[in-house]
Each structure stands twice: as C-alpha cells, then as structure tokens.
Amino acid sequence: MSPVPAKAAAAEQVGRLLLLIPYLQAHPGARLADVAREFGLPPDQVRRDLSVAFLCGLPGGLPGDLIDVDLDLVDDEGVIYLTNAAVLARPVTLTPDEAMGLIVALQAVREVAAGSLHPVIDSLLAKLAAVGPGALETPALSVAAGAPATRDRLLRAISQAERVELVYDGLARGKTSRPLVDPVRLFVADGVAYLSGWSVTRQGWRTYRLDRIADVRATGEVAAAHGPEPAHTWLDTLAQAPPVRLIVHPGAQWITEYYPVAGQVRLPNGDLDVTLPVADPAWLRWLLLRLGPGVAVVGAPAVTADAAHAAQAALAAYAYAGLE
Amino acid sequence: MARKSERLMNLVICLLAATRYLTRDDIRRSVEGYAGLTDQAFERAFERDKEELRALGLPLEMGRADAWDGETDGYRIRRQDYELPPLDLTPAEATLVGLATRVWQGAALDSATGRAIAKLKAAGIPLAADRLVAVAPTLPTREPAFGPLWEAWLTRAPVRFSYHGKERVFEPWRLILRHGRWYAVGRDRTAGEVRLFKLSRIEDTPALVPGEPPFATVSAAELAGHVRRLDAPEPVAEALLAIKPDGAPALRRRGRRAEADTALDRLGDGYEVYSVPYARDDDLVAEAAAAGSDVLVLEPPGLRAAVIDRLRWVAAAAAPAGKGGLA
C-alpha cells in the first residue's frame, strides 16, 4: 500500500483526475501507456484513476449524468475513450506560483537561447503573462551568456557538427588562446553560461565561459565523435582539487562570495581563515597578485614563491622600461 | 480513498455546474458522498473538503444564496475563474515550454513548474520533445532565503529577516539574479528607504509577516533604476597601459589602441599600448597587478606606483623572513 495517508492520497488523486479528464477529452483514443508517460505516472495508477472517474458526474447519479469511460476497452486494448465530462473540458488555470515558475524558467531559457529564438520566446512569454498573476514585475535575470551572435554560431556548429576555432579570453591564465574545439552543448551553472566541447588542441573535454568567447571562427572541418562527455563536472573537479589556506584581511573578504570556498573560520581580529580549492595554480597566482597585502598564504611556501616570482618578473619589466 | 476521491470530484463538478450559489443543504442533497452522514459529520466533512479544494488551487467562491427560507451562505466555482484560458501556442512555442522543465532543477519551484507544464499538456497542447538539447539552462537557488523571498514577492507580503545583525521588515518589489546570486530590491520598512539586499547575506530564515495587506510597489521605470545600482559603475578616467598581445584580455578588450608614449621604445617584447577606461582606482590597480608582466601601467603615475607597491609586497612575501610566511 502507498505510504501516503488516505486523506492526502484522495486530494492527489483528484489533482490527477482534473488533469487526466480534460487531456483524455482532447485526445480521444489515447493509449494508456502514452498517457502514463506523458504525466510521469505508473500505468496502473492511471487505470485506478479512471475507475474513480467512471463513478463521478453531475448531481443525480443517473447514467446520463456520469462520466463515461469504456473500462473494458482500456483493459483489453489499452485505449481510452472518456466522454460526458463537458464541465471538465479544461484543466485548472495556473496558480501564481506555477505561472511565475514557468515564466521565470523561460526567461532563463531566453538568456541562453540563440538570438533567432527570441521572438518565439517573447511571444510565448506574452501569452503566459496573460494567464499569469498579472502586474508583477518579473525577476530581472541576468545570465553571463555572452553575445547572442556567439550563441547562434555555436548552436549552429553543434547542430551541424562543425569544428570551430574559438578566440577565448581565459581568465585563469590571463591570456587569449585560440583552441580548436568540437562543440557539444551549452549549459548554465550558477548563472553563468558555458560551452562544453572537445578541445582538439588540448585533446580533452573542456568547458568555456560564453562571455569570454571573443569570436567563433569557421574551420571548414567536420567535428569528430568523442563518445559521451564525462559525467563529472568542472565543479566536481574543483571539489577534489587540493585546497590552499589563506588568511584573508577584511578588504579582500569579498572573495568568499565570488569563488567556491571549502571552509572559512572568522578569527578574533576580524580576518577570515579560508580554505580554497585550487584546480589551476595559474588562477591562484592571479588571485594573490590581485589581492596583494589583502591575503597571506598559510603553510604553502611553493605557492607564495610562485606568486613572488611572477611579481619579480613584472617589477623587472617596469625597471627595464625605466618606469619604476 | 476511492470513496473520498469520488466525493471530492462530485463536489467539484457540482460547484462548477452550478449557475448560482449553492447552499450547504443544496450541496448535501446533491453530492452523493454526503448522503447518510449525520448533521455533525456532514459539517466536518464539508469543511475539510472545502479546504482540500482550496489547497488544490481551485477558486471556491462564497456568496449570498437565495434559499427558499431566506438568504444564507452559498458556494460555487465560476468556470471562467477555474479554467485555464486558451493559450493557442504555435508548435515552436510549445517546444520551448518543454525546455522550461529542467530549469529549476532541485529547487522548490521545480514542482510548481512541473504542475504548470502538466496543466498545459492537459489542455491538449502538444509539448514536443525538446529538439534544442543544445541549450540547457538551470537557475541556482541555493540561498536558503530564496523560497521565502519568492513567496513574499509573489504574494506581496512583507517579510522579516536579519541582515548585518539587524532585524528588518522588507517589501520585496523585485528579485534579481546577477552573476549567479539573487538579490531583492524593495522598501526596507525598518530603515524607511529603498534597499537592495543580497539573499546570501540574510542571516536567518525570512518569515512572512502575517495579517498585512499586500504592499504596493513602484513603477517599472523606478524599479529599473534601482536594479541599475547593481551594474558596474561608469568609467570616470582612462589609464594608459602597455599590454602583451594575448595578455590581460579583460583590460585589452575594454580599451582601444593608443599612440605610443616616449617610454615605449624601452618596453620591448612586443607590448602594445592601450587606453583603458576605469571607474575605480582600486579595481584598475588590482587588475593590472593580477596580470603580472603582461600589463605595465604607464599613466597615471599614481596608479603605476600603487601597482608597483603591490607587486613589491607579493615579491617580498616569498623571502624567508617575509611577512607573508605566517609560520
């Protein structure tokens, strides 16, 4: 038996019936298995719901008042005909929560969709707004998703299996590179849109932030098949990266909100003792140079030395130019 | 369960088919499941059933019914309030609805969006399988305050929470997602001014303030002005930087190529000179220092000195007795 209490189970069944009854009237002769799949329900659940619908109807309870379902046909052939339920021809209208959940989800789709899809999404959003909760200002979503033209070209390359050359402004190394990439998909994680693809240059799976792709160039080559993408994500990789401990002074503590932090402890003097996973030493060097006296590395002399070496090279360049 | 479901279904159908408000007696006589109950049992069952219909989101309406013995409370569900209005989606629009399915992955709104999509399917709209698998957006809602703030915004209810150690009562006018973080703009009643709060900095679970009328918001234009406070500040000055050809992309793309300065012939190594707009000294110093030898600040001299100071500090930190050691 279901662990759901009978009371809640009855309300849930009514909720399902208020979906199934209009659906079945819009799709006469629908197959039980298809209906179950469409609503993500077990087929025997749909069958039980139908036997309840069969007993419901307008007051009076006479045969002409009741919803009509040919249950024999359902059992023998798996085909459903439900009639005499004109009063339940339409589903219940959307609640504010449902309408706004859908509208905001579609705004997120708009943020990463190809620019050519924007007119379709806008007209869809207008139609949903008409049935939604009215005069609310929908959330202002801003996904770092790069230029629409970049997305258009990447989506076209993906659908036509084209190899492309990216002009990529990598942050960790602070350099622009030009990898050859077989693009596979676009995705958004934590409000930032990425391209996932196979780097022909690096011979491995890579993710690229769309807002750092400065250009997508055609190569005229066909993308190769590289099997399935690895299941682990960049964030998983980061979680396994060796951590570095930093003492972060108050002026630099914004970093704990911008970068994934493995742990932080507030010290009595107002400093933060931060444990930061570091997947790329070049990124840590960049961060230490950026923050300067705002942080101190704890117990990793090689890390400190690496940043110092980069600082010395920069000072040498200033000195050479007579700019010191 | 089946008997209870039948009774609720019959009640829904009866209230929907009604052309006037039905009294409790009308309903008791008409809906088969109430037959044979004592007066007290009927009252209890009817009260519970009404609550369940409301919980299902059905617009149960109360009004004065003209009963044969005078006026009394009655009930009905108006079809125009109940039914999903026609949406007339094109096939391309219907395909896009399918993409919305996975956006709220794991978040509380996942189930609300799922119910919305099930209702569109029930209306006979063919939501084709998503051909556009290349786009898979998800929205992050890992801030524990998101759920209560969403509900407060949606129902226009003031909400109480603690921020920077202070208790606030706040009217969330609009939610904002920037760089993967949620913000809310609205009136901080405690401070008596319009404020922008970062949800991740809310220190407790926000609670809706009960018994308050829905708050009023401001015009879309005024709201947009408050949202703009999250934008990067406007540049106020330009710095002259020498940048290695592929180095410091963020600075290089913001700038434009500039005329060579007198010092340039001593730079070597293919530096190129750019004029780069900036808003805050500190930010430019941090960016230039982070780029190491890929960026040299030529002008203004004050910024150059600040970058060199920072580089010297980092260079000194590696020295055996350096202050960065923190042994």
Side-chain angles (χ1 to χ4, degrees):
Chain A
M1 281 302 287
S2 156
V4 180
K7 191 177 150 192
E12 281 174 17
Q13 186 165 46
V14 170
R16 287 194 301 274
L17 283 166
L18 296 180
L19 293 170
L20 290 170
I21 292 170
Y23 180 86
L24 292 167
Q25 292 178 94
H27 299 89
R31 303 199 60 82
L32 177 70
D34 295 341
V35 177
R37 185 161 8 84
E38 189 76 347
F39 290 95
L41 300 169
D44 59 339
Q45 176 81 75
V46 176
R47 175 63 183 77
R48 282 198 300 277
D49 292 345
L50 290 175
S51 50
V52 170
F54 180 73
L55 296 165
C56 301
L58 291 165
L62 298 170
D65 297 324
L66 293 178
I67 294 172
D68 195 17
V69 190
D70 188 338
L71 290 175
D72 290 338
L73 194 63
V74 176
D75 292 336
D76 294 345
E77 297 180 29
V79 172
I80 312 170
Y81 285 94
L82 182 147
T83 52
N84 207 32
V87 73
L88 293 174
R90 298 281 298 169
V92 187
T93 197
L94 304 180
T95 64
D97 211 27
E98 292 164 355
M100 214 37 105
L102 187 55
I103 286 171
V104 177
L106 286 165
Q107 285 181 331
V109 172
R110 189 186 191 284
E111 287 282 309
V112 287
S116 55
L117 280 176
H118 283 179
V120 184
I121 299 176
D122 290 342
S123 100
L124 172 59
L125 283 170
K127 288 176 184 179
L128 289 172
V131 303
L136 282 169
E137 277 293 311
T138 58
L141 300 186
S142 153
V143 173
T150 302
R151 299 197 295 275
D152 283 351
R153 285 154 84 175
L154 289 172
L155 288 169
R156 199 167 54 234
I158 290 166
S159 68
Q160 295 173 7
E162 292 168 13
R163 177 167 295 173
V164 294
E165 185 193 58
L166 303 182
V167 176
Y168 188 65
D169 292 342
L171 176 70
R173 302 193 170 271
K175 297 273 189 200
T176 298
S177 59
R178 291 169 185 75
L180 281 180
V181 175
D182 292 342
V184 172
R185 74 185 169 103
L186 307 186
F187 68 98
V188 176
D190 286 353
V192 177
Y194 298 87
L195 162 70
S196 177
W198 175 267
S199 166
V200 179
T201 309
R202 305 293 290 269
Q203 285 296 300
W205 289 98
R206 290 290 186 276
T207 53
Y208 303 91
R209 279 180 64 132
L210 295 195
D211 60 349
R212 298 204 186 123
I213 296 176
D215 198 8
V216 181
R217 294 176 179 163
T219 61
E221 290 174 51
V222 176
H226 303 285
E229 272 178 277
H232 69 266
T233 65
W234 177 77
L235 285 173
D236 295 332
T237 311
L238 191 64
Q240 290 156 13
V244 168
R245 257 182 77 202
L246 302 175
I247 300 297
V248 185
H249 305 313
Q253 289 173 359
W254 56 268
I255 64 167
T256 61
E257 288 181 15
Y258 275 79
Y259 305 113
V261 164
Q264 52 178 310
V265 178
R266 170 86 50 197
L267 302 178
N269 67 354
D271 289 350
L272 276 182
D273 183 341
V274 174
T275 305
L276 200 62
V278 176
D280 184 346
W283 173 76
L284 182 59
R285 186 191 312 139
W286 174 88
L287 189 69
L288 294 179
L289 285 168
R290 179 181 178 104
L291 299 175
V295 291
V297 181
V298 180
V303 169
T304 316
D306 178 56
H309 183 74
Q312 281 151 8
L315 288 169
Y318 276 106
Y320 178 80
L323 289 167
E324 246 179 323
Chain B
M1 175 183 105
R3 305 258 328 248
K4 170 99 183 274
S5 306
E6 276 167 46
R7 186 177 80 208
L8 284 169
M9 284 300 295
N10 284 326
L11 178 59
V12 172
I13 293 168
C14 170
L15 291 167
L16 261 176
T19 51
R20 58 178 176 85
Y21 292 108
L22 301 179
T23 65
R24 287 172 179 245
D25 282 342
D26 293 334
I27 292 166
R28 189 177 180 181
R29 271 195 307 274
S30 308
V31 174
E32 205 190 344
Y34 294 128
L37 296 181
T38 63
D39 289 357
Q40 208 185 10
F42 164 72
E43 286 299 330
R44 268 205 315 270
F46 183 60
E47 287 304 314
R48 273 203 310 269
D49 291 354
K50 276 194 307 185
E51 280 319 301
E52 300 216 5
L53 297 193
R54 290 202 172 103
L56 281 166
L58 307 191
L60 181 60
E61 192 183 286
M62 251 179 82
R64 305 298 284 177
D66 288 325
W68 61 271
D69 58 351
E71 287 205 339
T72 177
D73 284 346
Y75 304 88
R76 65 184 291 181
I77 297 176
R78 286 183 198 270
R79 279 182 76 159
Q80 68 264 35
D81 296 339
Y82 171 95
E83 289 186 344
L84 179 70
L87 273 164
D88 290 327
L89 301 189
T90 65
E93 289 164 356
T95 305
L96 283 165
V97 172
L99 275 179
T101 321
R102 292 174 314 218
V103 170
W104 291 108
Q105 241 165 19
L109 279 165
D110 208 5
S111 52
T113 310
R115 288 194 303 274
I117 289 171
K119 286 176 175 177
L120 299 191
K121 286 178 181 172
I125 296 169
L127 305 182
D130 52 0
R131 292 174 287 113
L132 300 155
V133 283
V135 192
T138 58
L139 284 172
T141 54
R142 74 168 96 76
E143 293 97 332
F146 179 81
L149 261 296
W150 170 276
E151 194 190 341
W153 162 70
L154 198 58
T155 59
R156 297 191 176 187
V159 66
R160 186 190 309 275
F161 56 76
S162 169
Y163 197 88
H164 283 331
K166 266 194 228 149
E167 174 109 328
R168 328 259 176 166
V169 175
F170 176 65
E171 302 170 354
W173 291 345
R174 195 173 193 193
L175 299 174
I176 302 158
L177 179 72
R178 277 294 164 92
H179 307 301
R181 270 78 178 175
W182 285 99
Y183 301 79
V185 67
R187 182 181 308 284
D188 178 352
R189 287 189 182 174
T190 314
E193 61 184 21
V194 177
R195 289 282 313 269
L196 193 66
F197 290 106
K198 188 170 189 179
L199 267 56
S200 64
R201 290 198 191 143
I202 291 177
E203 289 147 0
D204 55 359
T205 304
L208 270 57
V209 181
E212 293 265 348
F215 58 73
T217 68
V218 292
S219 71
E222 196 183 332
L223 266 179
H226 294 303
V227 172
R228 270 197 298 277
R229 283 154 59 181
L230 281 174
D231 292 347
E234 290 294 316
V236 295
E238 300 222 338
L240 206 59
L241 308 180
I243 306 179
K244 291 263 184 80
D246 277 336
L251 287 171
R252 186 159 35 85
R253 298 213 188 274
R254 234 170 40 228
R256 54 184 167 74
R257 288 298 293 273
E259 281 304 304
D261 166 275
T262 47
L264 190 65
D265 35 295
R266 294 163 66 194
L267 282 171
D269 272 10
Y271 281 102
E272 295 161 341
V273 177
Y274 287 82
S275 182
V276 178
Y278 66 98
R280 283 193 292 247
D281 290 5
D282 285 354
D283 292 345
L284 189 83
V285 168
E287 275 191 278
S293 59
D294 279 352
V295 172
L296 303 181
V297 177
L298 306 178
E299 286 170 23
L303 289 191
R304 186 171 72 223
V307 172
I308 288 172
D309 269 1
R310 184 162 305 192
L311 292 169
R312 284 196 178 127
W313 195 93
V314 176
K323 46 185 168 174
L326 238 104

